[in-house]
Amino acid sequence: MDEVEVVVAHSERATLRVGDVFLKVDVDQARVDVEVEAMSLVPVPTPEVLWRKPPVLAIAAVPGATLGSLGGPATGSPSAWAAAGAAIRKLHEAPLPPRTGRAGRSIDVLAAELDEECALLVTTGLLPADLVTRNREVAEAALRPWTPAFTHGDLQIAHVFLDGDEVTGIIDWSEAGQGDPLYDLATFTLGHEDHLDDVIAGYGTEVDLDVIQAWWSMRSLLVVRWLSEHGFDPFTPGCEVDVLRSRM
């Protein structure tokens, strides 16, 4: 019998792997609705939905492997990273979905959330004030008008699978919807800045690097406290706190 592997687990959701099947348990069925809908709409490879019985969604594993993980070594050739960039561009050029996604929060909402989180990071002593202040300044460049695209909303490097130079599947679509396309590019390259040029080459159009860097700071500032409170360690070398330190 296949062993049960706990892929991720915290108070909001858990993902288990049994053989070639992933079982996603989520207390928020709206997130599952978004995920299933997004996978039916996007023009890029996604996992097959096997069955759904709330609160569980069963999906098939996708072939291939990721290009690495946040805090871990990156793998893959420059052409593999470029292939990922091309797949992201294909997603962003798809017809807009009906929903606003994680990457589509308004400037006012983001600014308020960022200011609150920065204050908490300092008052709780989780991060030094100068580190927070500097990265809040960098993050400001992301607070600008943008043209909406079909975005994944949580396009971590661990969510994109490739076989050689071919993208075989993109997983975890619960944050998908209309949003800022540079949010996806920044999320995918977070902690792996040295591969940004390859990704942009595959993406096939110029992007504002200041905004990419701003999203690196923004995303890291917004998740450090949550990660610390949910059993993850953003202080691991190469992870979010190191991303913030690299902006100093």
Side-chain angles (χ1 to χ4, degrees):
M1 180 178 293
D2 291 312
E3 294 184 350
V4 176
E5 174 191 357
V6 179
V7 179
V8 63
H10 50 78
S11 60
E12 295 178 1
R13 65 187 100 169
T15 300
L16 311 175
R17 179 170 185 166
V18 185
D20 290 331
V21 177
F22 286 90
L23 302 176
K24 304 187 71 173
V25 185
D26 198 324
V27 296
D28 184 350
Q29 288 303 292
R31 277 196 296 254
V32 182
D33 291 340
V34 170
E35 178 157 14
V36 173
E37 178 185 59
M39 289 193 293
S40 73
L41 295 175
V42 294
V44 294
T46 62
E48 177 188 0
V49 175
L50 301 176
W51 50 266
R52 180 180 179 185
K53 187 174 182 180
V56 181
L57 172 67
I59 61 175
V62 296
T66 68
L67 293 173
S69 61
L70 183 61
T75 61
S77 64
S79 58
W81 286 85
I88 297 169
R89 177 69 180 275
K90 189 175 183 180
L91 167 64
H92 290 167
E93 291 182 334
L96 291 176
R99 309 171 190 261
T100 298
R102 181 72 174 170
R105 289 166 291 171
S106 73
I107 293 173
D108 290 342
V109 168
L110 268 174
E113 182 180 353
L114 183 60
D115 288 341
E116 180 181 1
E117 197 61 35
C118 287
L120 287 170
L121 289 170
V122 174
T123 58
T124 60
L126 193 59
L127 293 177
D130 61 338
L131 183 65
V132 172
T133 299
R134 170 57 183 156
N135 279 273
R136 175 63 181 85
E137 293 170 351
V138 174
E140 187 69 24
L143 302 174
R144 88 285 178 220
W146 39 266
T147 301
F150 197 140
T151 54
H152 182 281
D154 189 24
L155 198 62
Q156 302 175 44
I157 188 176
H159 291 164
V160 180
F161 287 75
L162 295 94
D163 184 1
D165 296 344
E166 179 184 358
V167 174
T168 56
I170 300 177
I171 66 171
D172 285 0
W173 292 86
S174 62
E175 306 288 354
Q178 296 186 32
D180 178 0
L182 297 192
Y183 181 92
D184 275 352
L185 288 172
T187 301
F188 184 69
T189 55
L190 184 75
H192 295 288
E193 300 181 17
D194 50 331
H195 292 285
L196 178 60
D197 287 345
D198 295 326
V199 174
I200 293 175
Y203 194 71
T205 187
E206 291 185 6
V207 302
D208 190 327
L209 297 182
D210 287 340
V211 175
I212 295 287
Q213 292 178 6
W215 276 123
W216 286 336
S217 290
M218 174 92 73
R219 181 177 172 90
S220 298
L221 287 169
L222 291 178
V223 301
V224 163
R225 190 170 59 88
W226 186 93
L227 291 170
S228 298
E229 293 174 351
H230 287 79
F232 304 99
D233 186 4
F235 291 86
T236 299
C239 289
E240 286 82 2
V241 174
D242 271 359
V243 170
L244 295 173
R245 289 169 177 157
S246 69
R247 304 274 73 82
M248 298 296 285

